[in-house]
Amino acid sequence: FSQAIVSTPQCCPSRAGYLTGQYSQNNGVTSNRPGFPLLRDKGEVLPAWLRAAGYETIHVGKYLNGYFGARGLVPGQGWDRWLTIAGADYLNASLSIDGEIRFNTDRYLTTTLNELTERTVRRQGNERQPFYLQVDHLAPHVGSGVERGPCQGGAIPKAGDAEAFADARAPRNAATRETDLDDKPAYLGLTPVLTPSDLAEADRLYGCALGSLAAVDRGVSGLVSTLRETGELDRTMIIFTSDNGYASLEHRILNTKGLPYEEHLRVPLVIRPPRDFPRAMRSGATLDAPVANVDLAPTILALADARPCRAGKRTCRRMDGRSLLPLLRGAEPDWTDKRAIRTGFSINAPRYGYSCSWEGLRTPARALVRHTLLPEPGGRVCQPADEFESYDLERDPFQLQGDLAVSPRLEQRLDRLTRCSGIKGRDPSLPGTPFCE
């Protein structure tokens, strides 16, 4: 999917979107802090719905930020197996194994997660019950900071992998060379021009991140091989994606996520459907429909013939995303030509180089952003704002020439998206609430 994005470009809110099929305005999680405690209807999430449909549900790896502070070692709701990281350590990590703490002493975390994944698939391959397995790697996230060595403060590769990327360079393009920020809000204009030492630091961290992904690549290969060996591959859908993008040097901001620019929003999304889908969709097709993280829960539920609700519940979660199954079967739904995806982010306190709160919309051709809270010049507090950025992504893919004059029609469309809920034709209408696109 060449136009895949996340609606909220930070770990926890993005993962909440995957679990609920909802934009952050509806599921409650707008940033990493406090993260999980703000999730509404915590029991109404994808694994609970799949369990109600007869699936065994297994989680391996990283979960929502703030989960362990709120729930301790108790497994997340809806999960039958819980093999989850309790921290951000690549070495000597703590894991909650079905609610019991175990220490991954002197072992590289990604290797352990890969082994748990393959062992789980082999076990499930001997049972008749269908299963849903969600593997959330820590890599290439920044580690805990206690690790030593050339990648301290960044992602930590497995021994031997870092050397392969020692000469890597962070991206250099028009966005990384941007010096004139007059088209951007004032908070960005205050950032200094990047220095040679900034570029060297970006290159170091970029190489460390690439090195950490080598073990993830081996894990993907091992997972596919294990599915093939157990006879499960042809009847399994595999979805590969990420929770957010990452900017190394773009727009004079060093190593960030959470901003409304393409480097932050764009993510890989590759889906390998089961054997009964059209061959063309299983052999390298590229789809350019506008899709987002909120679409994966509706897609998985449609494949499993499940509903976003558990038995006996009077009210069910209204998903804002769309099922991608029609696209994977070769159809072209009418929404693909006109859909705009709601984007946004907010933080509790001002941070250098960040907008405190922004909301936006994105299509493959247009990006619109409205900043509603921006740091005051001293950077100590957030203050109300009403500043816009608008970009023609076809003519200006690096977002160098923002248009601060926004048409009333586009602003009204943004207003509707920031209040939307559900999809027309699938969900009942709510008085005064527009449907999502």
Side-chain angles (χ1 to χ4, degrees):
F1 286 85
S2 64
Q3 290 292 331
I5 68 167
V6 292
S7 56
T8 304
Q10 200 182 48
C11 318
C12 191
S14 182
R15 292 167 189 259
Y18 286 127
L19 286 174
T20 64
Q22 286 184 316
Y23 292 134
S24 59
Q25 67 203 35
N26 293 325
N27 66 40
V29 183
T30 59
S31 65
N32 280 351
R33 298 180 181 179
F36 174 81
L38 293 184
L39 180 66
R40 299 168 187 156
D41 299 322
K42 293 177 173 57
E44 292 301 317
V45 288
L46 179 63
W49 305 329
L50 291 172
R51 177 195 275 178
Y55 280 72
E56 184 164 1
T57 57
I58 308 108
H59 181 265
V60 176
K62 185 179 187 294
Y63 206 54
L64 303 188
N65 297 59
Y67 177 84
F68 286 98
R71 300 271 297 174
L73 298 177
V74 177
Q77 290 179 275
W79 298 104
D80 293 305
R81 297 295 319 282
W82 180 250
L83 315 171
T84 301
I85 307 165
D89 297 289
Y90 282 87
L91 305 172
N92 299 320
S94 303
L95 288 87
S96 173
I97 306 296
D98 295 330
E100 295 184 7
I101 192 69
R102 298 184 190 176
F103 295 97
N104 194 45
T105 306
D106 297 326
R107 298 207 66 207
Y108 185 63
L109 175 62
T110 306
T111 301
T112 296
L113 298 182
N114 292 341
E115 292 174 356
L116 289 172
T117 297
E118 292 182 31
R119 191 182 309 156
T120 296
V121 171
R122 286 196 170 88
R123 181 178 68 85
Q124 295 300 135
N126 294 323
E127 300 181 8
R128 292 184 178 182
Q129 185 180 11
F131 67 94
Y132 171 74
L133 169 64
Q134 181 171 315
V135 183
D136 293 321
H137 280 286
L138 177 62
H141 285 78
V142 171
S144 64
V146 301
E147 301 93 346
R148 296 290 183 264
C151 287
Q152 184 177 19
I156 308 299
K158 186 175 183 179
D161 287 336
E163 289 79 359
F165 300 95
D167 296 327
R169 296 181 76 217
R172 304 288 200 274
N173 54 45
T176 65
R177 293 188 292 271
E178 184 176 21
T179 57
D180 183 358
L181 298 180
D182 288 345
D183 64 312
K184 306 290 190 300
Y187 79 96
L188 274 183
L190 297 174
T191 57
V193 174
L194 297 173
T195 66
S197 62
D198 291 331
L199 302 184
E201 177 68 356
D203 290 341
R204 180 183 77 89
L205 296 177
Y206 188 70
C208 292
L210 292 179
S212 75
L213 285 172
V216 176
D217 287 346
R218 290 192 288 270
V220 173
S221 178
L223 170 61
V224 174
S225 296
T226 305
L227 286 167
R228 183 179 288 113
E229 292 169 10
T230 56
E232 297 288 346
L233 184 61
D234 285 342
R235 54 190 179 190
T236 298
M237 176 176 282
I238 302 174
I239 301 173
F240 178 89
T241 190
S242 184
D243 50 5
N244 53 255
Y246 199 72
S248 297
L249 299 164
E250 291 81 355
H251 312 297
R252 293 210 320 231
I253 302 295
L254 187 66
N255 300 320
T256 59
K257 52 189 174 182
L259 290 174
Y261 305 116
E262 289 288 279
E263 299 81 16
H264 303 247
L265 295 172
R266 297 289 289 271
V267 291
L269 175 58
V270 181
I271 298 181
R272 183 192 189 278
R275 189 172 184 176
D276 59 350
F277 280 68
R279 179 180 292 273
M281 294 298 151
R282 303 179 68 249
S283 58
T286 298
L287 304 178
D288 59 5
V291 301
N293 55 331
V294 295
D295 297 325
L296 293 192
T299 300
I300 294 167
L301 290 179
L303 184 71
D305 194 23
R307 298 177 62 239
C309 193
R310 292 179 294 169
K313 291 286 291 185
R314 293 185 178 181
T315 59
C316 300
R317 195 184 287 276
R318 292 166 57 93
M319 296 185 297
D320 306 320
R322 293 179 173 273
S323 169
L324 304 183
L325 290 191
L327 291 167
L328 293 171
R329 296 193 185 280
E332 294 186 11
D334 58 4
W335 58 263
T336 59
D337 293 330
K338 54 190 177 184
R339 185 189 193 191
I341 294 169
R342 190 266 185 189
T343 58
F345 177 72
S346 67
I347 52 179
N348 296 329
R351 288 179 60 188
Y352 178 74
Y354 274 81
S355 170
C356 297
S357 181
W358 59 267
E359 54 197 20
L361 65 80
R362 186 193 178 278
T363 74
R366 173 65 63 180
L368 173 65
V369 180
R370 176 169 55 204
H371 298 271
T372 56
L373 287 173
L374 288 172
E376 51 87 24
R380 295 182 179 86
V381 297
C382 297
Q383 59 187 13
D386 189 25
E387 294 193 32
F388 285 88
E389 296 179 70
S390 181
Y391 299 93
D392 184 331
L393 297 178
E394 294 180 333
R395 293 191 298 178
D396 183 21
F398 292 107
Q399 297 170 289
L400 304 177
Q401 299 296 326
D403 185 356
L404 301 182
V406 178
S407 71
R409 183 176 180 181
L410 197 59
E411 187 176 354
Q412 290 169 4
R413 191 178 187 186
L414 174 57
D415 288 337
R416 289 194 301 271
L417 277 175
T418 59
R419 297 182 292 111
C420 78
S421 175
I423 298 295
K424 187 176 182 179
R426 187 190 68 195
D427 301 306
S429 61
L430 291 176
T433 302
F435 287 109
C436 300
E437 298 186 11

